[in-house]
Amino acid sequence: MAAGGGGGGCGESVDHYRAEVERLTRELAEANREKVRAAECGLAVLEENQSLKQQYAELEAEQETLRQELEQLHEAFSQAYTTQRKVAEDGETNEETLLQESATKEAYYMGRLLEQQAELKSSRSQASCTQVENERLSTILQELRESNEMLELQRSRMREEIREYKFREARLLQDYTELEEENISLQKLVSTLKQNQVLSVNQPISTSNARKRTNQDQRSLSRRRTTP
């Protein structure tokens, strides 16, 4: 007897462990799916950040190029200014023209440098906005998941209510049919009573037979009413 009890307990333990393993397997599969979705979102964000980093690096490289060109311009300006001083005999007109050209070029490169700095600042702001937008979308996604769960629950409840309404409708139709049959029987009974009254006036001898038929109809109607 003890061996039999031990075998039953072992079987129940195996079934319990098997059910637990299946549950854990389902939960692991769901967790893996969530990880895949999260990885996809993270990959999209990573690609966007990588693109912004690349743009940032390109802007920095272009800014560095502009700095180098500006330095070369300053150096060329110094050399030209030195040369101009050495050839002062050519007149002040040539010197003024050279200074104007140098100032124009310097202003141009300075404007380009400012534009690159503004673009760099805009790229940084865009990267920050992208991060904020990704966080907002993640929040919306979580809210949509919770809303979907609530909708599924409401739909299940509505299905149950619809089944209940259909059942009640069937019961009401059945009751209505029974009432119709009862109404028809009452109409027949009234008609029979009227006929019996007419016969009782014309043929008093058949009054007892009419009463018997009336009693039989009433008993039949009573049995029909009491029948569920």
Side-chain angles (χ1 to χ4, degrees), residues 96-138:
E96 185 177 353
T97 301
L98 181 60
L99 288 173
Q100 290 178 352
E101 291 178 355
S102 299
T104 301
K105 290 182 179 179
E106 183 177 2
Y108 168 75
Y109 285 111
M110 183 62 67
R112 288 290 306 276
L113 181 62
L114 293 175
E115 289 178 359
Q116 294 298 322
Q117 289 177 347
E119 291 180 1
L120 183 61
K121 184 178 180 180
S122 176
S123 297
R124 290 174 179 173
S125 177
Q126 184 177 1
S128 177
C129 291
T130 301
Q131 182 67 27
V132 172
E133 181 67 13
N134 288 332
E135 293 176 356
R136 186 182 70 84
L137 291 176
S138 298

Side-chain angles (χ1 to χ4, degrees), residues 186-199:
L186 288 172
Q187 290 177 357
K188 289 181 179 180
L189 178 59
V190 171
S191 177
T192 302
L193 290 174
K194 288 181 179 180
Q195 291 176 1
N196 290 337
Q197 288 177 356
V198 173
L199 291 175

Side-chain angles (χ1 to χ4, degrees), residues 62-199:
E62 188 171 354
Q63 183 180 7
E64 183 63 26
T65 302
L66 288 175
R67 282 201 188 97
Q68 292 177 0
E69 290 178 358
L70 185 60
E71 289 176 359
Q72 292 174 1
L73 180 62
H74 278 297
E75 184 177 357
F77 174 76
S78 277
Q79 292 177 357
Y81 184 75
T82 302
T83 303
Q84 182 66 23
R85 290 186 62 183
K86 289 180 181 179
V87 291
E89 62 274 7
D90 292 339
E92 296 179 356
T93 304
N94 292 334
E95 182 179 0
E96 185 177 353
T97 301
L98 181 60
L99 288 173
Q100 290 178 352
E101 291 178 355
S102 299
T104 301
K105 290 182 179 179
E106 183 177 2
Y108 168 75
Y109 285 111
M110 183 62 67
R112 288 290 306 276
L113 181 62
L114 293 175
E115 289 178 359
Q116 294 298 322
Q117 289 177 347
E119 291 180 1
L120 183 61
K121 184 178 180 180
S122 176
S123 297
R124 290 174 179 173
S125 177
Q126 184 177 1
S128 177
C129 291
T130 301
Q131 182 67 27
V132 172
E133 181 67 13
N134 288 332
E135 293 176 356
R136 186 182 70 84
L137 291 176
S138 298
T139 302
I140 293 175
L141 179 61
Q142 181 64 28
E143 293 177 353
L144 288 175
R145 287 175 181 170
E146 295 176 356
S147 177
N148 187 34
E149 292 177 358
M150 291 296 297
L151 288 175
E152 287 293 334
L153 181 60
Q154 292 178 0
R155 185 170 63 178
S156 177
R157 291 177 179 173
M158 290 180 67
R159 287 176 180 173
E160 292 294 332
E161 291 178 357
I162 288 172
R163 282 196 290 267
E164 181 67 22
Y165 290 152
K166 288 182 177 180
F167 175 75
R168 292 179 180 177
E169 182 181 5
R171 289 293 302 273
L172 289 173
L173 288 175
Q174 182 180 357
D175 294 341
Y176 177 77
T177 302
E178 292 177 356
L179 289 173
E180 284 289 331
E181 293 176 354
E182 184 177 350
N183 187 26
I184 292 171
S185 298
L186 288 172
Q187 290 177 357
K188 289 181 179 180
L189 178 59
V190 171
S191 177
T192 302
L193 290 174
K194 288 181 179 180
Q195 291 176 1
N196 290 337
Q197 288 177 356
V198 173
L199 291 175

